[in-house]
């Protein structure tokens, strides 16, 4: 009976380890990211040059109407190892605001 209980406990522990290993979500591991503003086009942009995962540009956008300052975001881009990153762009004009700063968000 003791060996059966020990075997059952060992199997349960191994199953928990396997489940824990598969239940952990992947996180973006991008780096060497650049952000910038194009004041003439009222746009913010971001691109990640190294790593892998999803990223996008986020930008502080000011307007003369409430809410006076808000965050706008660009489309999510996926960086694949060994491939160039793609620009994520946030455009202030459709939002009715002026882009003043930018940063990169990952997920």
């Amino acid at each position: 009976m003791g060996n059966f209980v020990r075997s059952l406990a060992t199997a349960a522990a191994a199953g928990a380890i396997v489940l824990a290993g598969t239940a952990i979500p992947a996180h973006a591991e991008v780096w060497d990211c650049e952000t910038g503003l194009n004041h003439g086009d009222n746009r913010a942009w971001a691109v990640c040059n190294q790593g892998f995962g999803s990223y996008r540009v986020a930008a502080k956008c000011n307007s003369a109407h409430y809410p006076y300052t808000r965050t706008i975001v660009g489309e999510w881009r996926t960086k694949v190892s060994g491939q160039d990153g793609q620009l994520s762009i946030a455009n202030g004009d459709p939002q009715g605001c002026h882009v003043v700063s930018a940063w990169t968000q990952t997920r």
Side-chain angles (χ1 to χ4, degrees):
M1 184 79 157
N3 286 337
F4 175 75
V5 172
R6 193 173 14 254
S7 296
L8 188 59
T10 302
I17 291 170
V18 169
L19 285 176
T22 59
I24 298 171
H27 294 285
E29 291 292 337
V30 291
W31 62 92
D32 191 18
C33 298
E34 302 174 58
T35 58
L37 302 174
N38 183 329
H39 292 290
D41 290 340
N42 194 26
R43 293 181 180 174
W45 57 270
V47 63
C48 292
N49 300 304
Q50 300 292 324
F52 60 92
S54 298
Y55 63 92
R56 70 180 177 186
V57 66
K60 179 180 175 183
C61 207
N62 293 337
S63 73
H65 305 286
Y66 183 83
Y68 302 107
T69 300
R70 65 182 181 276
T71 299
I72 63 172
V73 296
E75 60 282 345
W76 285 104
R77 296 296 190 190
T78 301
K79 171 72 175 79
V80 177
S81 296
Q83 294 183 7
D84 293 337
Q86 300 175 353
L87 282 177
S88 175
I89 299 171
N91 189 345
D93 286 353
Q95 306 290 330
C97 57
H98 179 69
V99 175
V100 295
S101 64
W103 62 95
T104 304
Q105 293 180 332
T106 61
R107 64 173 172 185

